[in-house]
Amino acid sequence: MLYKDLVRVYEAIESTSSRLEMTEILAGLFRSSDCAHIRRIVYLTQGTLVPEFYPEKLGLADKLYLRTLAMAAGTKESEVRQLWAKEGDPGTVTERMFQSKRQTTLFSRPLTLDRVYDSLLKIARSEGSGSQELKMRLLADLLHDATPVEARYLARIATGRMRLGVATQTVLDSLAQAFATKADKPVVERAFNVTSDLGMVGEVLCNEGLEGLDRLHVTVGNPLRAMLAERLPSPEEILERMGGRAMFEYKYDGLRVQAHIDGERIKLYSRRLEDLTGGFPDVVESLRKAFRGKSAIVEGECVPVDINTGELLPFQEVSHRRGRKHDITAAMEEYPVRVHLFDCLYLDGEDLTELPLPDRRTALTRCIEVSEEVRFSEARVLDDVEDVERFFTEALTAGCEGLMAKSINDDSAYRAGARGYQWIKYKREYRSEMTDTVDLVVVGAFHGRGKRGGLYGALLMATYNSETDRFETACKLGSGFDDATLAALPEMLDRYRLPQRHPRVDSRMSADVWFEPAAVLEVLGAELSLSPIHTCAFGKIREDAGLAIRFPRFTGAFRDDKMPRDATTTQELLSMYEKQRKK
Ligand code: AMP
């Protein structure tokens, strides 16, 4: 397959903001492609080369890319830098360069999909001495043989800025449509949720059809997409939803981990499916000691503990751990963590995800011997509102965020990747105005004035509308940033910068700078009110207004464990507002 055929599809996708149309276009591409190519097409279209949980990451540093481009185009670096500053997108810069600089195509060979993919993979994999030169040479070779429009997409993917605006859900729809029917999407989605490998799902579907998906099982070493919780404001409503009785657990404020245990080999994955193993050798070791079995997938929450008092500390203390590759030992002493396990998805060759929660919990207690470092989540089966309130207070006193209610009915299977009412969170914040923090997505920014001249004055923040798969603005966020964070923001967000509003962002405001919805920040507001300039839940309460967060403050927490679709949803904010109004 020629790369230009893929690029033609990218252009068509970029020219529409209709999800239906995108789905049609992609389904057409899948249908007309060789099955052997589907996997690569799926990854490349999502701006990656491998599933999320693999170590290879694309994203050449801008400086290195700039040098490569200058070399490939036979131009001075300063010229490239100038154009880059003007255009703001390496894709457009590259395309322009090649439009104006290309003298001859005499020695160029048309790019094939395989060549592009193989070279990019080599780039992502090369490390150590000489790797910079190798990366530059591989990429320059590709650029040399690329047409200007192909070069645009090569630049974007190489620098980690593919951003076609194609959501995972759209790819799932397209795959179902191409190789089965629209109605079969749940089957395709289930296969993705238990394997987290969209490329593989696509390939199997193309080769073997829906039946092929049956043999994709939960496997140790392949993280499952995490089951997520809905929220409700009161124990009454929670119990009613759950059929009068449920298992209530402490909701720890930590870092979710999915541990894959295969004999002595243990891997830890985050909720975003990143490999966390390197940052938590102590957790690996304590799990190894606690586990009684051959192989398993267990889930729990890592919580930092104050070594002096034994009290649980807030989540921020754990987040220090993750980036610190070089000084893990010191970090382990500074922020020791305990893991509270709450689920068992696989044990000794058996997929447990279809079993009801009580059975999974029994399996968990069977295969783990508790220790100081490895414990179970505090859990109690309750059917009485007052008992729930008491347990809730107990959880808060223990330093937890609140409670997680979990269904114990026969259909309480582990629903990988799904947010539903099988799990419901009940947090302290529901009880007051807006003492609850929300997690919002950065979609734009405004230039600063006065003391903030040259920096961002405020960020445009959005909720995720899970019904429409779009991002809706809820506030301009300008307080709560310390000087260092303020100074670091432009560079921190630069990789998400877009020349115009992202197709899945709804905004009535015109930001100075637009971003791909990617960064998630924790925000605390004073109250929720109606505003005609924000699009969150627009028209839901009053015809001419959306919901806005008043007096928002950044809490200091970058929720980089959350993907934009894990941010607070429009629906959640709406129910918080309705709750507030009732009082
Ligand atoms: P939230 O991040 O507010 O959507 O809440 C969901 C998160 O709570 C999960 O992803 C877990 O990281 C965390 N959590 C803490 N305690 C529990 C528990 N007992 N069961 C399930 N999730 C928990």
Side-chain angles (χ1 to χ4, degrees), residues 172-203:
L172 287 169
D173 279 324
S174 313
L175 286 172
Q177 212 163 303
F179 303 119
T181 68
K182 267 187 198 172
D184 294 314
K185 184 184 168 197
V187 183
V188 183
E189 193 166 4
R190 154 93 192 159
F192 170 56
N193 285 337
V194 298
T195 59
S196 306
D197 187 343
L198 202 49
M200 175 174 72
V201 170
E203 186 179 282

Side-chain angles (χ1 to χ4, degrees), residues 289-310:
K289 283 195 196 133
F291 181 60
R292 306 272 170 270
K294 291 190 198 72
S295 60
I297 303 175
V298 292
E299 241 188 353
E301 189 87 353
C302 271
V303 220
V305 187
D306 182 321
I307 40 175
N308 294 309
T309 62

Side-chain angles (χ1 to χ4, degrees), residues 48-197:
T48 62
L49 300 169
V50 287
E52 285 156 309
F53 60 93
Y54 278 40
E56 290 89 353
K57 300 274 177 272
L58 268 175
L60 221 55
D62 286 354
K63 252 197 192 144
L64 192 63
Y65 181 71
L66 200 136
R67 269 169 54 203
T68 312
L69 177 55
M71 182 172 95
T75 326
K76 284 204 212 93
E77 276 183 50
S78 56
E79 194 180 323
V80 181
R81 205 173 295 121
Q82 247 175 18
L83 193 60
W84 194 317
K86 193 168 139 233
E87 298 286 350
D89 161 42
T92 319
V93 176
T94 309
E95 187 174 10
R96 291 269 158 81
M97 283 275 150
F98 281 88
Q99 271 162 351
S100 58
K101 295 284 171 194
R102 182 163 297 262
Q103 295 107 354
T104 170
T105 50
L106 211 57
F107 300 107
S108 63
R109 295 177 287 151
L111 288 177
T112 60
L113 169 77
D114 286 339
R115 185 176 153 210
V116 169
Y117 181 87
D118 290 339
S119 296
L120 291 174
L121 195 61
K122 274 189 202 145
I123 292 173
R125 284 189 175 153
S126 80
E127 48 183 59
S129 75
S131 66
Q132 287 214 351
E133 287 68 26
L134 179 67
K135 287 180 192 210
M136 286 176 68
R137 189 170 54 71
L138 286 165
L139 190 55
D141 278 354
L142 288 182
L143 289 172
H144 174 266
D145 289 339
T147 62
V149 57
E150 284 173 337
R152 184 207 306 168
Y153 291 101
L154 286 175
R156 289 192 183 155
I157 193 160
T159 57
R161 293 179 171 92
M162 193 59 182
R163 301 177 192 146
L164 281 178
V166 180
T168 301
Q169 289 301 325
T170 311
V171 180
L172 287 169
D173 279 324
S174 313
L175 286 172
Q177 212 163 303
F179 303 119
T181 68
K182 267 187 198 172
D184 294 314
K185 184 184 168 197
V187 183
V188 183
E189 193 166 4
R190 154 93 192 159
F192 170 56
N193 285 337
V194 298
T195 59
S196 306
D197 187 343

Side-chain angles (χ1 to χ4, degrees), residues 159-430:
T159 57
R161 293 179 171 92
M162 193 59 182
R163 301 177 192 146
L164 281 178
V166 180
T168 301
Q169 289 301 325
T170 311
V171 180
L172 287 169
D173 279 324
S174 313
L175 286 172
Q177 212 163 303
F179 303 119
T181 68
K182 267 187 198 172
D184 294 314
K185 184 184 168 197
V187 183
V188 183
E189 193 166 4
R190 154 93 192 159
F192 170 56
N193 285 337
V194 298
T195 59
S196 306
D197 187 343
L198 202 49
M200 175 174 72
V201 170
E203 186 179 282
V204 171
L205 199 53
C206 182
N207 276 321
E208 304 167 46
L210 281 180
E211 296 77 62
L213 296 185
D214 289 343
R215 65 174 179 76
L216 297 184
H217 294 301
V218 175
T219 319
V220 178
N222 250 48
L224 286 86
R225 288 159 50 73
M227 178 163 177
L228 301 170
E230 279 289 351
R231 59 204 291 177
L232 279 178
S234 69
E236 288 88 345
E237 284 164 85
I238 292 174
L239 282 172
E240 198 188 312
R241 272 273 179 176
M242 295 278 183
R245 208 159 146 264
M247 172 131 93
F248 288 82
E249 299 179 19
Y250 279 11
K251 184 175 188 303
Y252 300 90
D253 185 10
L255 182 71
R256 184 167 184 167
V257 288
Q258 199 178 87
H260 288 238
I261 311 174
D262 185 5
E264 286 292 293
R265 289 186 44 227
I266 298 185
K267 287 248 174 213
L268 306 177
Y269 296 99
S270 74
R271 165 168 158 164
R272 297 189 61 156
L273 312 182
E274 297 155 323
D275 189 337
L276 294 173
T277 318
F280 295 88
D282 47 347
V283 174
V284 169
E285 193 43 44
S286 46
L287 277 172
R288 190 176 284 136
K289 283 195 196 133
F291 181 60
R292 306 272 170 270
K294 291 190 198 72
S295 60
I297 303 175
V298 292
E299 241 188 353
E301 189 87 353
C302 271
V303 220
V305 187
D306 182 321
I307 40 175
N308 294 309
T309 62
E311 279 177 6
L312 302 183
L313 296 172
F315 168 77
Q316 281 85 330
E317 304 297 328
V318 180
S319 57
H320 290 285
R321 274 286 194 96
R322 294 194 294 164
R324 279 171 65 168
K325 293 214 171 69
H326 306 299
D327 203 3
I328 296 293
T329 323
M332 270 173 8
E333 282 174 17
E334 211 178 331
Y335 310 105
V337 298
R338 182 187 290 157
V339 53
H340 286 272
L341 296 173
F342 53 74
D343 220 315
C344 182
L345 315 181
Y346 181 95
L347 183 60
D348 294 340
E350 235 188 288
D351 174 356
L352 309 184
T353 54
E354 298 294 339
L355 295 184
L357 176 64
D359 295 355
R360 302 202 306 277
R361 186 91 188 184
T362 306
L364 184 66
T365 49
R366 235 182 36 222
C367 73
I368 295 287
E369 190 167 305
V370 290
S371 62
E372 179 56 32
E373 299 84 14
V374 181
R375 303 186 178 184
F376 301 124
S377 58
E378 266 325 304
R380 221 172 273 174
V381 174
L382 300 172
D383 56 11
D384 177 81
V385 171
E386 275 178 24
D387 287 346
V388 175
E389 283 294 1
R390 258 195 298 277
F391 196 42
F392 178 73
T393 316
E394 207 182 282
L396 294 189
T397 320
C400 292
E401 282 187 291
L403 296 177
M404 257 316 203
K406 298 183 181 176
S407 165
I408 46 173
N409 298 332
D410 289 348
D411 64 351
S412 57
Y414 187 89
R415 315 230 159 133
R419 187 187 293 283
Y421 285 97
Q422 295 286 335
W423 285 12
I424 303 175
K425 45 190 170 176
Y426 175 44
K427 294 208 264 181
R428 143 188 57 200
E429 309 76 55
Y430 302 110

Side-chain angles (χ1 to χ4, degrees), residues 501-519:
R501 186 174 52 77
H502 188 275
R504 288 199 286 136
V505 169
D506 285 335
S507 177
R508 306 191 117 206
M509 273 191 197
S510 166
D512 295 324
V513 177
W514 292 105
F515 297 115
E516 176 193 1

Side-chain angles (χ1 to χ4, degrees), residues 506-573:
D506 285 335
S507 177
R508 306 191 117 206
M509 273 191 197
S510 166
D512 295 324
V513 177
W514 292 105
F515 297 115
E516 176 193 1
V520 180
L521 308 191
E522 190 179 69
V523 174
L524 184 63
E527 59 182 24
L528 287 166
S529 64
L530 293 179
S531 156
I533 52 170
H534 284 292
T535 53
C536 177
F538 201 90
K540 292 278 180 204
I541 302 159
R542 245 177 57 183
E543 207 177 290
D544 54 355
L547 260 185
I549 297 171
R550 296 192 64 203
F551 313 121
R553 270 187 87 74
F554 176 44
T555 64
F558 288 93
R559 297 297 309 259
D560 50 6
D561 59 318
K562 290 204 167 184
M563 305 213 219
R565 64 167 180 268
D566 298 329
T568 299
T569 59
T570 299
Q571 290 71 22
E572 285 174 322
L573 211 65

